[in-house]
Amino acid sequence: MSRLPHGTENNNHCRWETQVSSYLQGELSEEERLQFENHLRRCLYCQEELTQTKELIQHLKEVSEEPLLRDLAPEILKKIPQGVWMTSNRRVNLMRTHIFFMVGAVACILLILFSLWLEFPKNGKRPERNHLSNNPLDEKMEELLLKSNAITDAIDWLVKTQEPSGFWDAKKWGGHKDYTVGLTALSLLALLNSGKDSDATQSIIAVERAVKYLIKQQSDEGYFGPQCGRTMYNHGIATVALLEYYGISKDERLIKPLDRAIKYICTTQKKNGGWGYVDGKENTSISVWPLLALGLAQKMGCRSIQENLEKGIAWIKSMFDEKGYAGYSQRGDFPLGPETLTSMASFLISLYSDEKADSHGCEIDSGVKQSLEQIAAREDSNINYYRWYFLIQALSTCDTQSDKWIDSLQKELIKSQVKKGEHSGSWDPNDCWGSVGGRVYATALATLSLQLKEGAQIRPIR
Amino acid sequence: MNNLSDVELMNQIKKGEQEAFVSLVRRYQQPLLNFFIRLNANNTDAEDLVQETFLKLFNYRFRYERTAKFTTFLYTLAYHSWVDYKRKCGKVLTIESEIQSDEHSVVDCNTPIHTKINLKDALAKLSEEHRTVIVMSIYSELKHQEIAEILGVPLGTVKSRIHFALKQLREILSYEPITTRNGK
């Protein structure tokens, strides 16, 4: 493009003029400022723009402030429960607790130093270190740090890739477009769980946008997402995510949409208690999400769905065979293996049922244990994001020595996270559902799998 | 408490110190009130919005990280309170309209040229998007990058909006340049 003298394109416009306000407000970098000042020396148009804009800004600042007629602090304090504030008694108790822990920490440090001193050979040579640290505390700290960093990077990726309208584009990231709503809801769940793992401001913005987007996706019939064979996946996950959000925020905007969403779940429950594809039979895979939603709603005080929930849980229990494996649409039906189905079903029952064993007396736990043994036996540990998410959830609620398995699965996830390049922070969609869910599916579920703290991740509403 | 920085006050608030919260409220209630009034809320609504913002601040206190700029955090909450308020007033402000609004949106310039108009009214005549960036950058003195984060738009969009908003204000005000076009 040829340049007119002084960069002016015509008498009414100069391509540098958009820099004027940034220059006046000190928003240009050093290099930009020098370039602009250089241009300014030769451009009458920009000189005039600068003068006029400077005057305008000065006049704008002269607009008087509205005086504050009263102190709003007392009124705001009335709206906050008194119990959250620190009283002098609690302060004293807290100080005592701090002192106690400090003394304990000092004692631990001294003990560690003493142990190291004992271990250090008198001849001055360092002992050969194997690949495992001799100090389990160090190892644990390092693992926690790696996990925390992995979650932070994942959340950053999710925030970065959210569309301005609040959704994550399934097709853009290698998945099927019909799952956009479900994937947005999974990403929202990951953000809601991110807490201190990420930049708060960006997280809050992303959460708000995702919530607004999901609300707008609700149809007149009450389901979220497009009407298609995958409706209940989208709807179930979206309802769970919005219930979780409501539990945190108590945002009244959600009351009506959630009412309608729960109603839709109840009215589409099939006669045996499960849910399925639009014209298909009930199956465990689809039934889990609407049941999770009903369970959450019940914990929030919604009593009208009690019968639906009980019927659904009863149906899920009926899917277990004598060995403790859950079938797909009936007992013993494992089109893609029993591991994922068993993990999902066991997790559900652990959350919303008082019993761990089904009416036939078999132990659900044994099915989960068997799944673990099978996964552990695979040397290459092929990731299955969907299965591993539910497996980790189920392991945390089962009465097994589950920590080592959870750690092992999480370590594999951390190892496989993309560390460099444009996809840094995400996971490659290289499992059996990768072509359906794409990178957002892989990343959201991997993040949720790492975020597990104590107990079930989908927790009772506070 | 009054000598503590915003970050230090937030840390105290996280620990349950009521005095720290009160200090923060008193530090920012006036700027926030003016923020909402300049966005075009009336006095009563502006006070309600200030209260709502601080309640949100309290509810989200554990999500604030000391590495993040406090004003960005506070004005993000304020802006979201404003968006919710506009929605309740029936003036739907969708995400799409926030992000994709036409930079050259027509300003209601019913006032004939050369008729004097005060600055407050001139601000009110700007479109929502343009008024918001002017209020944030000139009155709240937020950096362009902060504004971009709060509104969830690219930095370039913020700069463009400020540029066009100032141009439109000059048109509305029928701004008489102090110099002629031919020089000083």
Side-chain angles (χ1 to χ4, degrees):
Chain A
M1 177 177 153
S2 60
R3 270 193 186 188
L4 291 173
H6 313 307
T8 312
E9 291 176 358
N10 57 52
N11 285 337
N12 297 320
H13 178 62
C14 170
R15 63 188 176 86
W16 287 83
E17 67 176 315
T18 53
Q19 302 278 50
V20 167
S21 51
S22 296
Y23 174 74
L24 286 169
Q25 292 180 300
E27 291 279 352
L28 297 180
S29 66
E30 186 62 21
E31 194 185 332
E32 287 169 335
R33 184 184 64 79
L34 290 170
Q35 283 175 355
F36 181 71
E37 284 175 352
N38 191 40
H39 164 74
L40 203 57
R41 282 189 206 104
R42 291 167 291 162
C43 179
L44 292 176
Y45 180 84
C46 282
Q47 286 173 21
E48 194 137 331
E49 281 293 303
L50 186 77
T51 308
Q52 292 182 25
T53 306
K54 189 175 176 182
E55 273 196 34
L56 175 60
I57 291 176
Q58 277 169 352
H59 283 302
L60 281 172
K61 288 184 177 178
E62 287 165 8
V63 173
S64 55
E65 284 195 341
E66 287 294 325
L68 190 67
L69 299 175
R70 58 202 175 94
D71 179 15
L72 297 174
E75 247 176 86
I76 295 171
L77 284 177
K78 276 186 205 162
K79 295 177 183 174
I80 297 173
Q82 279 306 301
V84 305
W85 300 116
M86 184 71 67
T87 60
S88 53
N89 277 345
R90 284 175 68 189
R91 204 173 276 119
V92 166
N93 287 339
L94 195 64
M95 204 176 302
R96 282 184 186 151
T97 311
H98 278 151
I99 291 170
F100 173 77
F101 276 110
M102 273 179 61
V103 167
V106 168
C108 285
I109 289 168
L110 287 173
L111 194 61
I112 290 165
L113 287 171
F114 182 65
S115 308
L116 284 172
W117 178 77
L118 282 178
E119 201 178 305
F120 203 88
K122 302 294 182 286
N123 61 13
K125 277 189 188 168
R126 280 185 181 274
E128 217 175 274
R129 292 178 68 83
N130 58 27
H131 68 284
L132 289 175
S133 165
N134 288 329
N135 190 338
L137 261 177
D138 282 344
E139 213 178 296
K140 195 68 192 167
M141 288 298 294
E142 199 181 321
E143 278 170 21
L144 286 173
L145 191 61
L146 282 172
K147 189 155 65 172
S148 178
N149 288 342
I151 295 170
T152 302
D153 291 343
I155 295 294
D156 286 347
W157 185 87
L158 283 171
V159 168
K160 191 175 72 177
T161 53
Q162 186 186 34
E163 299 296 323
S165 303
F167 65 94
W168 281 264
D169 190 332
K171 191 171 175 192
K172 184 176 174 180
W173 294 102
H176 195 288
K177 63 177 173 57
D178 282 349
Y179 282 113
T180 288
V181 165
L183 294 179
T184 299
L186 281 178
S187 304
L188 172 59
L189 275 172
L191 288 172
L192 290 174
N193 280 313
S194 65
K196 292 181 180 182
D197 298 312
S198 64
D199 178 80
T201 309
Q202 293 303 317
S203 241
I204 291 170
I205 293 171
V207 162
E208 290 283 327
R209 286 169 161 190
V211 167
K212 280 175 186 164
Y213 169 79
L214 287 174
I215 292 173
K216 278 160 60 176
Q217 304 314 306
Q218 193 169 36
S219 68
D220 292 337
E221 289 81 10
Y223 58 85
F224 294 106
Q227 172 66 268
C228 62
R230 301 159 184 87
T231 293
M232 192 46 83
Y233 275 117
N234 283 318
H235 179 69
I237 301 174
T239 307
V240 167
L242 290 175
L243 279 166
E244 284 278 338
Y245 174 75
Y246 179 71
I248 295 167
S249 67
K250 300 289 185 273
D251 188 338
E252 290 178 359
R253 280 180 299 170
L254 287 165
I255 292 178
K256 279 193 183 142
L258 283 173
D259 266 344
R260 292 170 56 218
I262 298 290
K263 273 198 185 92
Y264 178 79
I265 288 175
C266 293
T267 53
T268 52
Q269 188 174 26
K270 296 192 185 275
K271 62 175 183 174
N272 291 327
W275 286 263
Y277 289 104
V278 173
D279 291 319
K281 286 168 64 176
E282 294 118 314
N283 68 71
T284 303
S285 183
I286 290 186
S287 298
V288 165
W289 288 105
L291 270 174
L292 282 171
L294 290 186
L296 273 175
Q298 185 210 40
K299 286 181 191 290
M300 285 165 55
C302 183
R303 297 285 162 226
S304 61
I305 49 93
Q306 185 65 30
E307 204 181 303
N308 300 86
L309 181 62
E310 283 173 3
K311 195 172 158 188
I313 295 291
W315 181 81
I316 286 283
K317 283 182 180 178
S318 73
M319 289 295 106
F320 280 86
D321 62 16
E322 293 76 20
K323 292 177 191 168
Y325 288 120
Y328 180 67
S329 56
Q330 59 189 23
R331 284 182 170 210
D333 174 27
F334 311 122
L336 295 171
E339 294 91 353
T340 309
L341 297 169
T342 305
S343 304
M344 294 169 97
S346 176
F347 171 53
L348 244 190
I349 289 173
S350 301
L351 279 184
Y352 300 125
S353 168
D354 291 329
E355 307 157 36
K356 288 249 166 100
D358 70 4
S359 56
H360 292 264
C362 78
E363 288 182 330
I364 293 170
D365 282 0
S366 66
V368 174
K369 280 183 205 173
Q370 209 149 4
S371 300
L372 290 175
E373 285 164 14
Q374 286 173 6
I375 290 166
R378 281 190 228 110
E379 288 282 321
D380 53 7
S381 297
N382 290 316
I383 294 180
N384 179 319
Y385 297 104
Y386 202 58
R387 181 201 304 160
W388 284 26
Y389 168 68
F390 281 105
L391 193 53
I392 288 172
Q393 302 299 319
L395 285 168
S396 70
T397 63
C398 286
D399 202 8
T400 65
Q401 291 180 333
S402 57
D403 283 357
K404 64 179 183 193
W405 300 118
I406 294 175
D407 286 347
S408 167
L409 292 170
Q410 289 181 334
K411 269 184 194 157
E412 283 300 325
L413 284 170
I414 293 169
K415 225 166 53 177
S416 62
Q417 187 181 28
V418 177
K419 308 282 190 300
K420 287 181 191 169
E422 60 174 328
H423 299 313
S424 174
S426 69
W427 276 263
D428 294 328
N430 52 6
D431 73 351
C432 58
W433 302 114
S435 59
V436 174
R439 189 168 292 274
V440 178
Y441 146 85
T443 304
L445 282 175
T447 310
L448 285 165
S449 300
L450 293 178
Q451 285 171 327
L452 178 74
K453 295 176 180 66
E454 292 80 37
Q457 189 161 59
I458 294 179
R459 54 202 173 274
I461 302 295
R462 293 167 290 283
Chain B
M1 278 287 167
N2 288 335
N3 296 330
L4 295 182
S5 68
D6 296 337
V7 172
E8 285 163 341
L9 285 175
M10 280 301 293
N11 283 339
Q12 293 295 315
I13 292 169
K14 285 184 197 180
K15 291 175 188 169
E17 292 290 346
Q18 188 184 69
E19 211 185 313
F21 182 70
V22 169
S23 290
L24 207 58
V25 168
R26 286 179 178 151
R27 186 176 291 183
Y28 282 102
Q29 57 185 348
Q30 175 76 68
L32 279 180
L33 183 80
N34 280 289
F35 174 72
F36 290 120
I37 288 176
R38 285 177 179 133
L39 286 179
N40 233 10
N42 61 48
N43 279 48
T44 311
D45 288 348
E47 283 189 4
D48 288 343
L49 285 164
V50 170
Q51 292 195 37
E52 196 180 309
T53 303
F54 281 114
L55 287 172
K56 278 190 175 169
L57 178 99
F58 179 78
N59 287 334
Y60 281 118
R61 62 196 185 281
F62 291 116
R63 288 177 173 259
Y64 173 70
E65 290 296 325
R66 58 185 303 131
T67 49
K69 206 156 182 252
F70 175 74
T71 45
T72 310
F73 183 65
L74 179 68
Y75 280 94
T76 299
L77 299 174
Y79 180 69
H80 280 269
S81 298
W82 171 250
V83 169
D84 289 340
Y85 162 77
K86 294 290 282 183
R87 190 184 303 112
K88 280 179 196 164
C89 288
K91 293 176 188 178
V92 176
L93 197 70
T94 61
I95 293 289
E96 284 79 11
S97 69
E98 285 175 59
I99 305 299
Q100 294 164 13
S101 68
D102 183 3
E103 289 295 344
H104 302 278
S105 57
V106 173
V107 169
D108 175 19
C109 289
N110 290 325
T111 311
I113 292 175
H114 303 302
T115 302
K116 286 201 174 175
I117 182 170
N118 69 36
L119 286 167
K120 267 190 183 176
D121 291 341
L123 271 173
K125 283 183 177 296
L126 289 179
S127 67
E128 182 76 33
E129 293 78 17
H130 291 132
R131 184 168 58 250
T132 303
V133 293
I134 290 293
V135 169
M136 285 187 174
S137 68
I138 292 177
Y139 295 105
S140 303
E141 294 183 329
L142 295 168
K143 292 288 178 194
H144 292 181
Q145 182 59 46
E146 282 187 271
I147 298 171
E149 283 180 37
I150 292 165
L151 298 181
V153 301
L155 178 62
T157 302
V158 171
K159 290 179 185 285
S160 294
R161 286 186 188 176
I162 291 174
H163 167 70
F164 281 110
L166 289 170
K167 270 200 115 150
Q168 284 172 348
L169 276 172
R170 279 162 52 191
E171 281 175 32
I172 296 166
L173 291 165
S174 308
Y175 201 79
E176 295 289 339
I178 60 163
T179 62
T180 65
R181 287 218 166 248
N182 295 324
K184 295 182 185 162

